[in-house]
Amino acid sequence: EAIDGILVLPQVQNGNYDEFQKNTRLIVNTKIGFDTKQRIISDLSNVIKKEKIKQLGIAETQIDDLDKGFTLKTINVSENNKEDSDLALGVKSVLSMLLMYVTFMFIIIYGVRVMRSVLEEKNNRVVEIIISSVKPFELMMGKILGVTLVALTQFIVWITMSVVGALVLNTGFSSMQKNIPGGDEAMMSKLDITQIATQVSHSLLELNFPLIIFVFIIFFLLGYIFYSSIYAAIGSAVDNET
């Protein structure tokens, strides 16, 4: 009862790993997750693979050579034949996922804000007074465009802070990298972290920010106008948010 499980491994007879696999058992006293079971299977598979390779008379160095990865250089001809490192590609992928998430969340958040505004005016009967002065289309477009400008103002502030922060971090990490002496293991690990941070900041600063910002705003505007119109229509058809 003190442990979650026991892995029972039978003895391998004459290199018969099929029989070994058939008689291997994982005994548990609680529910285990699929990921846990797959990790155990993966570990056992790696051990058996190495043992089989050793039986074939292949040395450990040859095994390591077989498992060695392949490094592929990427040259971007549209960016003056600049070489893209794995770190730069990773930064681009993470940034694209982050911007997609931000776009989606803000479309929903600001769309709901339009719906709440419609509900509030309808419940307070303010809309009856407003409609006597403006057309319904003008009223709804005013709401949608007003919230759009609020969102764009917020984005401009965030984008400015992000660019300034990247410049400051890039300068700070570069100066730290020059000042850290070599030799000490702790210092070397700190140097590695600083180098990675410097490379990340360099990769961010090398991106085509005008294009990224332009495309981001276009996607946000098109998605927001579409969804906020749907939210406004829903708000005009119901009496409360629930």
Side-chain angles (χ1 to χ4, degrees):
E1 293 181 358
I3 57 176
D4 294 327
I6 298 173
L7 182 64
V8 181
L9 301 172
Q11 189 173 0
V12 180
Q13 301 289 341
N14 300 322
N16 189 350
Y17 288 101
D18 292 333
E19 195 68 25
F20 170 81
Q21 178 179 326
K22 194 182 296 182
N23 295 321
T24 300
R25 295 288 181 271
L26 177 62
I27 303 169
V28 296
N29 63 359
T30 183
K31 296 288 185 183
I32 65 166
F34 178 75
D35 292 341
T36 304
K37 184 177 179 181
Q38 288 301 118
R39 281 201 301 270
I40 295 171
I41 291 171
S42 176
D43 291 341
L44 286 172
S45 299
N46 289 332
V47 172
I48 291 172
K49 176 185 173 183
K50 288 183 179 180
E51 290 298 321
K52 286 181 177 179
I53 292 174
K54 285 179 182 178
Q55 287 180 0
L56 295 173
I58 301 175
E60 192 75 29
T61 54
Q62 292 175 305
I63 298 174
D64 294 336
D65 188 57
L66 286 171
D67 292 333
K68 192 181 294 183
F70 186 84
T71 303
L72 181 64
K73 292 184 178 180
T74 308
I75 307 297
N76 194 331
V77 293
S78 64
E79 296 181 3
N80 299 323
N81 294 331
K82 185 172 71 68
E83 183 179 335
D84 279 340
S85 63
D86 292 339
L87 183 64
L89 291 172
V91 168
K92 291 177 182 178
S93 300
V94 171
L95 183 64
S96 63
M97 293 294 291
L98 180 65
L99 291 177
M100 180 191 71
Y101 176 78
V102 169
T103 306
F104 187 73
M105 289 303 298
F106 272 88
I107 284 172
I108 293 175
I109 290 169
Y110 286 111
V112 170
R113 185 172 293 183
V114 171
M115 183 184 72
R116 285 175 179 165
S117 175
V118 173
L119 279 170
E120 184 180 352
E121 290 179 359
K122 194 172 76 167
N123 291 334
N124 295 338
R125 309 186 76 86
V126 176
V127 70
E128 297 174 8
I129 301 170
I130 300 175
I131 287 298
S132 64
S133 303
V134 297
K135 295 177 181 178
F137 178 79
E138 292 173 350
L139 174 64
M140 296 312 298
M141 285 306 296
K143 286 182 182 298
I144 292 171
L145 294 178
V147 177
T148 303
L149 293 175
V150 172
L152 289 179
T153 304
Q154 191 169 357
F155 287 148
I156 289 169
V157 173
W158 283 5
I159 290 165
T160 306
M161 290 174 63
S162 300
V163 173
V164 171
L167 288 168
V168 171
L169 286 174
N170 184 52
T171 307
F173 284 130
S174 298
S175 60
M176 281 176 61
Q177 191 171 347
K178 292 176 183 176
N179 294 331
I180 293 177
D184 189 17
E185 187 175 342
M187 286 295 185
M188 291 304 292
S189 63
K190 192 181 292 185
L191 180 60
D192 292 338
I193 296 171
T194 307
Q195 285 176 339
I196 293 172
T198 306
Q199 290 173 3
V200 169
S201 62
H202 276 314
S203 300
L204 285 172
L205 291 173
E206 288 174 356
L207 296 176
N208 189 352
F209 277 105
L211 178 62
I212 292 172
I213 294 168
F214 174 75
V215 173
F216 172 76
I217 290 175
I218 290 296
F219 271 108
F220 169 76
L221 288 178
L222 293 175
Y224 164 73
I225 291 171
F226 177 73
Y227 278 98
S228 61
S229 304
I230 295 175
Y231 276 113
I234 294 169
S236 64
V238 299
D239 293 328
N240 59 71
E241 192 175 335
T242 307

